[in-house]
Amino acid sequence: MSLGELRVLGACPLDCPDTCSWVVTVKDGEAVGMRGNPDHPYTRGALCVKVNRYLEHTRAADRILHPMRRAGPKGSGRFERISWDEALEEISVRLRAIVDEHGGEAIWPYLGTGTLGHIQGCEGVAGRRFWNVLGASRHFLNICSTAGNFGLLSTNGTPAGMDPETFALSRLILLWGTNTLTSGHHLWKFIQEARAAGAYVVAIDPIRTRTAEQADEHLPIRPGTDAALALGLMNVVLSEGAEDRDYLAAHTSGWEDFRAEILRHPPERVAEITGLPESAIRALGVRLAHTRPTGIRATMGVQRHAGGGTAMRTIAAIPGVTGDWRHPGGGVAYSTSGHIHLNIDTRDDLLAAPVRQLTMTRLAEGLDESVKCLWVYAANPAGSTSDQNRVRERLLREDLFTVVMEQFPTDTVDYADIVLPATMQIEHTDLHSGYGHMYLMWNEPAVEPPGECLSTTETFRRLARHMGLTEPSLYDSDLELAEQLLASGHSSLEGITVDRLRKEGWVRLSVPRPFVPFTDGFPTPSGKMEFGSGPAYVPPHTASAGGGPYPLALITPASHTFLNTIFGNNPELLRRSKGPRVLVNPEDATPRGLSDGERARVFNANGGFEAVVEISDRVRPGVVASTKGHWRKLSPGGSTVNAVVDERDADMGRGAVYHDNLVELAPLRPVPPSDPNDYVLNDIGEDTVPHVSGP
């Protein structure tokens, strides 16, 4: 390494459980290299196929570098460049007028998961202090994991569970509704360690994913019937007499009622519900009954349907019945966030009065005439949110003042009145915690921001100053915010300081290794695992698949090349994605006259999207699948999979239902494959590249 080179430690900010530690090589002020940190125990030197192109992405030709004002109709993507002073002045005038005439609740601060930073992003609810001073509506960020969170809260008192590193000690591993090799591939190293020691790996997934193909066994379950399978497996455990009676007596409550519910779900009944062979259910139940420790990895995909909260609540009951919480490598891993006790002080005391809450996944419903300003940051709701067509209609409102803080000209940017250029991860300070490991991570800025890009915190500091706001906490520096976050006094943060994080890049939480949760009881009212009452299985909306005008169950898994809609404009990753595709079983393709490789329309009463048909037994009959993450304006037909997703709540936490929708397919005339670099026309007949006039 030359004397002119620096190694800067940072962390991936994206919505993935792995939150990788990375090392950026900087030469003469320019980032010239990035790799996974080989010293980090979870990252171990590897990044994913998406983030491997991150430096390239920061220098992309379509990066937004300057503030812009709309210069054409909403939706046109036509802008003129303006100065920061002009942008701040226009925003200040508009916000004050809205607050004076309609009250602060007419402002909707729409923060997404574009970065999970505790300083710049959603984990610390960046900007909340500013919005509280204005009295803006509260934003409920429920798009990702809330149904599962609520389900686990009702059982364990926390969504937190196993340390994923302890999967290396498991002897039976259930990968339940999770595609590890696409969405969090670093866990696979620990699974491989377990397999080398004799562990058996089962993938429970409606799709034969990359992960399912590598597992010892794949159970192609009907979407949304996971809770029924969990009950059936526990039924077999009881029939084997293998329930841990000592653990149940000492560490759980509500067992007798829950036991009765389990007994109402014998394998033959569960086979009818799940579409799985009764023999497979019995065989896995026997294996579960007699294999300790059993580790269950169940992530966000398993809970994005009508019964998602109940599904996670019932899956979480399994290690209570088997006693697996006793053992390193036993239990359920959904998220580790609940183990990270930072002091996230959003300063709700700055509110002059209580305010309403607006729900992220109910954007079309919530964006009514009472909302006069939509402020979007770290989010792309025009591309990512349910009921896409109705969302687009609401974004076209001329009386809606829309500000978007962004890095790239996303679908949402096209509807903005003001666009503010945002920094990317190598250009700002942040503090991160993975929701798939037990480490705090520091991100030191490696290079100066390009153009006039500002971080989230600096944008709000400048706006507060321009508006003459006097609340001192609005002007806290990023380092001061980090110090405040670490000042919770919780034992898990003992010995962790900002100085240490900046020097070392990452620090493991102050917990034992191996970490076994709940050894001192559960954080529930009773101090025990609570099985609860009520139904332990809620059927999905798609339980009626096979009849009616929309007989096919659609699921929308993560793409291997995009992360949500991030990277959806990267030319190389677009090429690798091969455009929107829909997996169709041969039994469903034949009666519809569908041929492999032709274009079809996938539709329901909400709308439709176009995709290339891939006929495959990777999905079971009655189920079709198409990945999320494509940009609407870069997709054939100008729509994506979210055009057919209902704006409907799961059973708990108002969770999203991306995997619980009914559709039909119809062939379109074949067309040549499109070049991802070609521009398509948007709704008003103009090409999709933002037009920027001015200097």
Side-chain angles (χ1 to χ4, degrees), residues 378-631:
N380 180 19
S384 296
T385 310
S386 309
D387 206 350
Q388 185 177 87
N389 291 335
R390 270 209 310 153
V391 168
R392 285 156 54 191
E393 290 173 7
R394 297 300 176 94
L395 291 173
L396 286 168
R397 280 176 43 204
E398 284 295 332
D399 67 326
L400 178 68
F401 179 54
T402 302
V403 179
V404 180
M405 299 163 64
E406 249 301 346
Q407 302 155 353
F408 294 98
T410 65
D411 293 327
T412 305
V413 164
D414 286 351
Y415 298 89
D417 294 290
I418 298 289
V419 181
L420 301 177
T423 48
M424 295 180 70
Q425 186 74 347
I426 63 171
E427 301 152 8
H428 59 225
T429 297
D430 216 338
L431 174 65
H432 288 265
S433 58
Y435 62 90
H437 59 58
M438 304 288 286
Y439 300 88
L440 284 182
M441 323 279 284
W442 184 261
N443 186 77
E444 188 76 12
V447 296
E448 292 296 317
E452 297 179 280
C453 296
L454 295 180
S455 68
T456 303
T457 49
E458 182 60 20
T459 296
F460 284 118
R461 283 191 287 260
R462 291 195 186 187
L463 181 56
R465 188 171 294 112
H466 201 91
M467 295 182 70
L469 303 180
T470 59
E471 165 54 41
S473 68
L474 298 180
Y475 303 101
D476 287 349
S477 70
D478 291 349
L479 291 180
E480 287 173 326
L481 292 171
E483 295 280 5
Q484 294 163 22
L485 284 162
L486 293 174
S488 70
H490 195 272
S491 60
S492 65
L493 301 181
E494 184 178 350
I496 302 177
T497 65
V498 170
D499 287 344
R500 182 182 174 191
L501 281 167
R502 294 186 75 182
K503 180 181 178 181
E504 300 178 20
W506 54 271
V507 178
R508 181 175 167 86
L509 295 179
S510 184
V511 296
R513 186 193 288 272
F515 176 66
V516 180
F518 313 130
T519 54
D520 297 321
F522 291 80
T524 59
S526 66
K528 300 180 178 182
M529 172 186 275
E530 298 181 352
F531 289 114
S533 58
Y537 166 60
V538 174
H541 177 68
T542 55
S544 60
Y550 310 114
L552 300 172
L554 171 72
I555 53 177
T556 62
S559 166
H560 196 70
T561 51
F562 309 141
L563 203 159
N564 302 327
T565 62
I566 295 172
F567 305 112
N569 60 324
N570 183 284
E572 175 57 21
L573 295 177
L574 261 174
R575 184 190 66 80
R576 294 188 190 186
S577 78
K578 301 179 181 179
R581 307 180 76 79
V582 58
L583 281 175
V584 187
N585 187 275
E587 291 185 26
D588 296 315
T590 299
R592 290 167 175 81
L594 296 170
S595 301
D596 196 68
E598 77 169 319
R599 199 171 297 281
R601 180 167 174 79
V602 185
F603 62 95
N604 60 20
N606 296 324
F609 67 99
E610 296 180 16
V612 173
V613 173
E614 183 177 334
I615 299 176
S616 172
D617 64 358
R618 289 174 54 211
V619 288
R620 56 179 301 127
V623 176
V624 295
S626 188
T627 56
K628 64 179 181 178
H630 294 278
W631 286 21

